[in-house]
Amino acid sequence: MAKFEVYVEYKENSGEIFRKTENSFKSFIRLKFGYVKNKTKELENHKGSIKNRKNKKYEIGNNQQIKRISGIFENDENNNLSNLQSYVEKLPKYSFAIWFKFKLKAPYFSKDDDEFYIIQNPILKETNFKVPMIRGSAWKGALAHAFRELINKANTLENSRKAIESFLRIFGAGSESIKTLEEYLKNKLKRNEHENLQKYKEEFLKFVLFELGLEINQELIENVNNAQNYKDISNLLAVKVWEKYKNSYSYLSLEFQTHKGRAIFYPTYFDELSLEIINPHDRRKRAGKNPIHYEVVPAGTEGIFQLIYIPFDGILKTDEELREEIQKDLGNLIEALKVLANKGVGAKTKLGWGRFEILESEKKICLDKNIELPEKPKNKGWERCQD
């Protein structure tokens, strides 16, 4: 009930509440509590104030303070990231960080669950500082989704297996990861629809035995022989992987066990907001009927992406083995980021929202001094933090 009491208090004594509020939060207070006075009037006032501004933007919250608290690093006065490099050097061997500034090419939106707000679709904000943000978990989910395209684009089974292993090292393995594996395998089956089914059955058994290291018994062979189409085989494979995963958990390689991923994703905070309106049209009248307001981070706004990779599970691996994994994972992450930049992050990506451009002069990789920057990132303009 406390939140309703606050609304009543604002309605009766808004002047006193404004007097006690920090300047950086006053615009948020007006949007949050203006609801109880006269929503239509307050919304029109808000839209009018945005229209009167040259850049059609407004600000909320304290961006700099929350970035410091969240451990997000920024360039120093010499445009170096020496502070992030120093931080990475204190982490376990072969840890690295990917850091870049990006500029939104289209609005970004992710809905907040705020029940009372003057706009029906408020953007997600940090709880205490009320700054628009992309959560670290949202970056992780979006990048994992982009990474799956790399798996599907692999031209051989061996390359696909390596990409899946890299995926599981970076993002971890939960039930969602195993679903990803299933999805990939099903897609692989679909690609071969025009091939001879009998030939494919043989290839399937080879894949189960040699690539996945799973057991083949008489029952499986009979089931494969009785399969009438590719879908039946796909289902058999999914069941087989699940059986192995559940019953022989301790014998699976680490990549296929449920475990935490090596990558830590940091949130991104923005300092500008604006409004977008989607106006669904009546098909018969061909005219807009109920415009829907969205509070968005506008195109052109800049933000910081930061990821730190810690190979905490590599203690029993040889230096050479670990170094090879780091090189592959780093190269794959850079490729996946490129895919993500074109696909977009947040909601409404089908409308093109959330797409961004990685700023060429502001993309850095902080890594162990004993590791060379892989060729792929190097050729695409990525620089070491030390350079």
Side-chain angles (χ1 to χ4, degrees), residues 175-208:
S175 57
E176 188 62 32
S177 300
I178 299 302
K179 285 178 186 174
T180 302
L181 176 62
E182 288 180 3
E183 187 180 337
Y184 156 70
L185 295 171
K186 286 175 182 175
N187 287 337
K188 206 74 183 174
L189 290 168
K190 286 176 185 173
R191 291 180 197 173
N192 295 282
E193 280 177 356
H194 301 297
E195 292 183 9
N196 181 282
L197 181 61
Q198 189 57 40
K199 182 183 174 186
Y200 188 71
K201 287 178 179 178
E202 293 173 11
E203 293 299 319
F204 163 75
L205 290 172
K206 282 183 189 173
F207 181 76
V208 171

Side-chain angles (χ1 to χ4, degrees), residues 101 357-363 380-383:
K101 278 189 181 178
E357 172 193 3
I358 299 174
L359 300 179
E360 285 299 319
S361 58
E362 301 276 5
K363 52 184 190 183
K380 291 179 179 173
W382 288 82
E383 296 177 350

Side-chain angles (χ1 to χ4, degrees), residues 92-299:
K93 196 174 181 182
Y94 298 142
S95 297
F96 65 80
I98 297 176
W99 184 100
F100 62 83
K101 278 189 181 178
F102 64 90
K103 182 186 282 188
L104 288 172
K105 294 165 76 175
Y108 160 76
F109 175 73
S110 180
K111 194 174 187 306
D112 205 340
D113 55 2
D114 196 343
E115 298 172 16
F116 300 102
Y117 202 74
I118 201 166
I119 301 160
Q120 66 244 66
N121 291 297
I123 195 167
L124 174 69
K125 300 179 188 70
E126 197 280 332
T127 306
N128 296 306
F129 291 86
K130 303 305 175 190
V131 175
M133 68 181 296
I134 303 175
R135 284 200 174 105
S137 57
W139 276 120
K140 182 178 180 180
L143 193 60
H145 187 67
F147 200 106
R148 288 166 194 166
E149 283 200 11
L150 302 185
I151 297 174
N152 289 329
K153 283 179 183 174
N155 50 9
T156 65
L157 280 178
E158 180 62 15
N159 288 340
S160 301
R161 186 182 63 78
K162 287 179 180 175
I164 291 172
E165 287 175 355
S166 176
F167 177 95
L168 297 175
R169 281 195 300 269
I170 295 168
F171 298 99
S175 57
E176 188 62 32
S177 300
I178 299 302
K179 285 178 186 174
T180 302
L181 176 62
E182 288 180 3
E183 187 180 337
Y184 156 70
L185 295 171
K186 286 175 182 175
N187 287 337
K188 206 74 183 174
L189 290 168
K190 286 176 185 173
R191 291 180 197 173
N192 295 282
E193 280 177 356
H194 301 297
E195 292 183 9
N196 181 282
L197 181 61
Q198 189 57 40
K199 182 183 174 186
Y200 188 71
K201 287 178 179 178
E202 293 173 11
E203 293 299 319
F204 163 75
L205 290 172
K206 282 183 189 173
F207 181 76
V208 171
L209 185 63
F210 297 117
E211 301 294 339
L212 294 180
L214 301 177
E215 183 184 353
I216 291 179
N217 52 29
Q218 190 59 37
E219 184 186 356
L220 177 64
I221 293 173
E222 287 177 5
N223 288 336
V224 171
N225 284 334
N226 293 332
Q228 298 298 313
N229 51 48
Y230 295 101
K231 189 177 178 183
D232 290 346
I233 300 177
S234 174
N235 291 335
L236 279 175
L237 184 55
V239 170
K240 193 69 184 168
V241 171
W242 273 108
E243 279 179 4
K244 184 72 178 176
Y245 180 75
K246 286 189 290 188
N247 300 333
S248 304
Y249 176 84
S250 59
Y251 297 101
L252 292 173
S253 65
L254 178 64
E255 286 80 2
F256 288 93
Q257 294 175 23
T258 302
H259 69 279
K260 182 182 173 184
R262 293 177 179 178
I264 299 170
F265 292 81
Y266 286 71
T268 295
Y269 299 106
F270 299 102
D271 58 1
E272 290 179 336
L273 285 169
S274 188
L275 280 182
E276 288 284 338
I277 299 175
I278 293 179
N279 195 6
H281 277 48
D282 185 295
R283 290 190 177 184
R284 188 171 59 83
K285 297 179 180 176
R286 297 188 177 183
K289 44 184 182 179
N290 294 313
I292 304 169
H293 294 84
Y294 288 86
E295 189 179 43
V296 300
V297 178

Side-chain angles (χ1 to χ4, degrees), residues 30-31 33-48 117-120 275 293:
R30 188 172 285 111
L31 288 166
F33 296 108
Y35 186 92
V36 295
K37 282 199 163 183
N38 185 328
K39 182 176 179 179
T40 304
K41 183 182 173 185
E42 292 291 335
L43 180 58
E44 289 304 317
N45 287 341
H46 182 55
K47 286 160 66 177
Y117 202 74
I118 201 166
I119 301 160
Q120 66 244 66
L275 280 182
H293 294 84

